[in-house]
Amino acid sequence: MSADDLETRRKRLMFRAHHMGMNENDLIFGQFAEAFLSDMSAAQLDRFEELIAQNDSDLFSWVSGREPVPPRFDHDVTRQLLQFKLVTARR
């Protein structure tokens, strides 16, 4: 994948992360994308894209700690997202 292709993909994912459906998810995932998307590898972009394709209420339940993250989504990107949410919640 070329650098231009990766940049285009990052821009598309940034837009999606800011327009998820639930305002809470827009804030959480949008801020996370702003902080980390530019440094993600192609494989991490794959995992992020698959993650944000999930149901909004499920995503919010996972990031809010109401429900455990399913094993399928328990990976580096999700763990980074959960850590990011913890740090930003303390601000």
Side-chain angles (χ1 to χ4, degrees):
M1 183 171 275
S2 76
D4 286 342
D5 291 340
L6 278 176
E7 188 56 31
T8 299
R9 188 170 180 207
R10 285 185 175 104
K11 286 178 183 179
R12 183 176 45 82
L13 288 171
M14 181 71 72
F15 180 84
R16 287 182 56 200
H18 279 283
H19 299 87
M20 307 240 339
M22 281 178 61
N23 288 337
E24 295 86 349
N25 284 350
D26 293 348
L27 290 171
I28 295 166
F29 286 85
Q31 289 175 357
F32 174 78
E34 287 175 17
F36 297 103
L37 213 57
S38 64
D39 294 326
M40 285 187 187
S41 68
Q44 288 173 314
L45 293 174
D46 289 342
R47 290 189 289 278
F48 184 66
E49 186 169 27
E50 184 179 11
L51 180 65
I52 65 174
Q54 303 312 300
N55 179 286
D56 252 13
S57 59
D58 289 341
L59 288 170
F60 187 73
S61 292
W62 301 338
V63 298
S64 67
R66 291 184 195 161
E67 298 280 333
V69 175
R72 174 178 169 203
F73 297 108
D74 186 10
H75 48 61
D76 60 332
V77 174
T78 304
R79 287 189 294 273
Q80 187 176 30
L81 171 68
L82 294 174
Q83 181 63 35
F84 175 77
K85 186 188 171 293
L86 283 173
V87 169
T88 57
R90 292 180 185 150
R91 293 182 186 168

